[in-house]
Amino acid sequence: MSSEGKVLVVDDEPNIAEVVRLYLEHSNYEAILLTRGQEVLQTIANEKPNLILLDIMLPDISGYELCEQIRKMEAPFHQTPIIFLTAKGESIDKLRGFNLGVDDYLVKPFDPNELIARIKAVLRRTFQLSSEPSNHHSSSRKWLEIGNIVIDLDQYRVTVGGKRVELTPKEIELLFFLTSHPSRVFTREDLLGYVWNFDFTGGTRTVDAHVKNLRKKLGQHDTWNIQTLWGIGYSFEVVQHV
């Protein structure tokens, strides 16, 4: 039986790491265990994990700092999905994680079965696995062009004015969803349901954090913008010039 993929587990609590390893292997994932952060970047480059489970409170480096370093790695490693697995469960901790580009957040103590479900959900959202070669004109291809922005959800690639913009997988999914429904207003709860597709513990401020990051990375443009409707939510607006 072939493996479902590699999961890098970074946690200095051996009991937790061992439980996670057992559940991963039972679900047909290959587990790579690390107890310190200093080996993580090299391990990502060598092992090419499909997903990273990352503790925040590591003995040698903060998980936040490590997450930031991962997101600055060269392609394609910088887009490796990250799930924080941590005892820090305050809203401010979660919001900081999502601002740094994590894909999900699970607080200890946790149900190992829920962890596996979240891993599968993140991988399902992140990777579009297909044995067929990509076809630019395929009706099933998730590709969209509006003005100077091109979003390729199959390749998880966004360009603005022909230049690639480095976004996290979740930022790309949110952008693609909004641009797929121009001028339609979505509440934060709507976006959590449609984009995150999970009973997400991050709350609606997660959506605000991702929109803020998108605006910062994409910059301002004359032909389109992500508009805030105060007290309601967000919409993607295409500006019509007379």
Side-chain angles (χ1 to χ4, degrees), residues 30-61:
E30 179 183 344
I32 306 168
L33 305 185
L34 292 178
T35 59
R36 301 178 68 83
Q38 63 183 2
E39 306 170 36
V40 168
L41 299 185
Q42 190 60 52
T43 301
I44 293 172
N46 293 340
E47 298 290 342
K48 301 176 179 60
N50 301 100
L51 183 140
I52 302 165
L53 294 178
L54 182 58
D55 189 11
I56 292 177
M57 296 181 289
L58 295 169
D60 57 340
I61 185 174

Side-chain angles (χ1 to χ4, degrees), residues 130-189:
S130 174
S131 58
E132 296 296 325
S134 296
N135 183 343
H136 186 76
H137 301 289
S138 169
S139 61
S140 63
R141 183 173 175 81
K142 297 181 179 180
W143 185 89
L144 212 162
E145 180 176 4
I146 297 181
N148 65 342
I149 185 171
V150 177
I151 309 167
D152 185 340
L153 197 57
D154 281 343
Q155 301 295 324
Y156 275 80
R157 180 184 177 93
V158 173
T159 60
V160 176
K163 296 181 179 180
R164 183 164 184 171
V165 181
E166 298 296 344
L167 303 175
T168 68
K170 188 55 59 189
E171 289 166 356
I172 294 174
E173 290 171 9
L174 175 59
L175 179 62
F176 185 86
F177 181 81
L178 287 171
T179 54
S180 298
H181 305 84
S183 300
R184 180 174 171 182
V185 179
F186 292 95
T187 67
R188 294 164 176 82
E189 291 79 7

Side-chain angles (χ1 to χ4, degrees), residues 18 21 40 42 52 60 63 84 90 104 113 143 147 150-151 153 160 163 172 185 199 205 207 209 212 225 234 237-238:
E18 181 62 16
R21 181 188 67 80
V40 168
Q42 190 60 52
I52 302 165
D60 57 340
F84 269 160
E90 298 297 325
D104 206 342
N113 291 308
W143 185 89
V150 177
I151 309 167
L153 197 57
V160 176
K163 296 181 179 180
I172 294 174
V185 179
D199 184 13
R205 284 192 293 177
V207 178
K212 179 180 179 181
N225 65 78
Y234 298 101
E237 298 294 331
V238 179

